[in-house]
């Protein structure tokens, strides 16, 4: 599964904002960026420039380096997880078998995997950090397949 950087960054920004119980409007005003554009950045639909990321991070009182470190840890965690592919999982379900799922192994710099079963979707990945507080449950989904 390919993880897009803009999606991982957007997810971390949304997580930081919601942990602070702040609204999109509050952050958009503080960062001097339109509310709609900030929403698209959080949903991973727009690729934010470095200047815009710095402005959003400043509004969130989140060091840009910490954001990038956490995003790198999220992506590294996904790359180290070995799981069955979607067709294999679907075939197993059709045969009435439990799809194979494996536990993630290893530690992450900048974050740690929460004990539990990890699947092949970012929605199954939970990462926590000391500064960010409660465990992050990402909302990024796998890229949509287009029929040829």
């Amino acid at each position: 599964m390919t993880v897009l950087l803009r999606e991982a960054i957007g997810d971390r920004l949304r997580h930081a904002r919601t942990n602070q119980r702040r609204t999109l409007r509050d952050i958009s005003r503080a960062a001097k960026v339109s509310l709609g554009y900030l929403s698209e950045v959080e949903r991973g639909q727009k690729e934010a420039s470095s200047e815009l990321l710095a402005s959003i991070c400043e509004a969130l009182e989140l060091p840009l380096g910490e954001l990038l470190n956490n995003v790198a840890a999220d992506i590294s965690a996904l790359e180290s997880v070995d799981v069955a592919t979607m067709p294999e999982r679907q075939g197993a379900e059709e045969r009435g078998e439990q799809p194979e799922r494996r536990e993630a192994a290893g530690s992450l710099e900048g974050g740690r995997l929460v004990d539990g079963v990890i699947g092949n979707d970012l929605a199954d990945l939970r990462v926590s950090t000391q500064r960010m507080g409660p465990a992050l449950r990402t909302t990024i989904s796998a890229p949509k397949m287009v029929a040829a």
Side-chain angles (χ1 to χ4, degrees), residues 114-136:
V114 176
D115 290 337
V117 177
I118 304 298
N120 69 345
D121 189 351
L122 269 174
D124 295 329
L125 178 67
R126 292 171 284 169
V127 178
S128 67
T129 64
Q130 293 173 359
R131 187 175 193 299
M132 297 296 281
L136 167 66

Side-chain angles (χ1 to χ4, degrees), residues 44-85:
Q45 295 177 337
K46 294 288 183 185
E47 189 109 25
S49 68
S50 58
E51 292 87 358
L52 181 62
L53 276 179
S55 180
I56 295 168
C57 285
E58 185 176 323
L60 288 167
E61 298 176 359
L62 171 69
L64 180 59
E66 184 176 333
L67 170 72
L68 297 175
N69 189 42
N70 290 336
V71 167
D74 293 346
I75 292 172
S76 294
L78 286 174
E79 291 174 351
S80 68
V81 175
D82 181 23
V83 295
T85 62

Side-chain angles (χ1 to χ4, degrees), residues 18-30:
T18 56
N19 271 356
Q20 296 176 14
R21 300 186 195 286
R22 294 176 70 186
T23 64
L24 276 168
R25 178 165 278 122
D26 177 37
I27 301 302
S28 71
R29 285 180 181 159

